[in-house]
Amino acid sequence: VLPTDRGNRADFYCCDSFVPAVADLLQKCEADFGPCYLQIAKDDVQKQAIAQQLGFVRGDEVTYTYKNLLFPCYEYRHC
């Protein structure tokens, strides 16, 4: 969990063997830090699908900047 100016941003790794743990880990994040949002790359359709299955709704389009790289993303929040 990373505190940002938009709230607490949570993240998770997405591989086949890790997917079953994502719901519990995100619940733990929210229990410890309060409401969290996800920021998922627009190209990462698998991670977006998992977020939607967990009740997150796609919101604003944002750009994540790392060094000189720009990553178009969507924010996902609980309704």
Side-chain angles (χ1 to χ4, degrees), residues 8-49:
N8 292 319
R9 185 175 73 218
D11 199 1
F12 60 91
Y13 291 103
C14 187
C15 66
D16 292 341
S17 62
F18 194 74
V19 171
V22 172
D24 289 339
L25 290 172
L26 289 176
Q27 286 176 355
K28 176 70 172 154
C29 288
E30 290 192 329
D32 289 352
F33 298 99
C36 295
Y37 73 96
L38 307 174
Q39 185 172 293
I40 302 174
K42 288 174 70 173
D43 293 339
D44 197 340
V45 294
Q46 181 182 16
K47 206 171 193 182
Q48 290 182 50

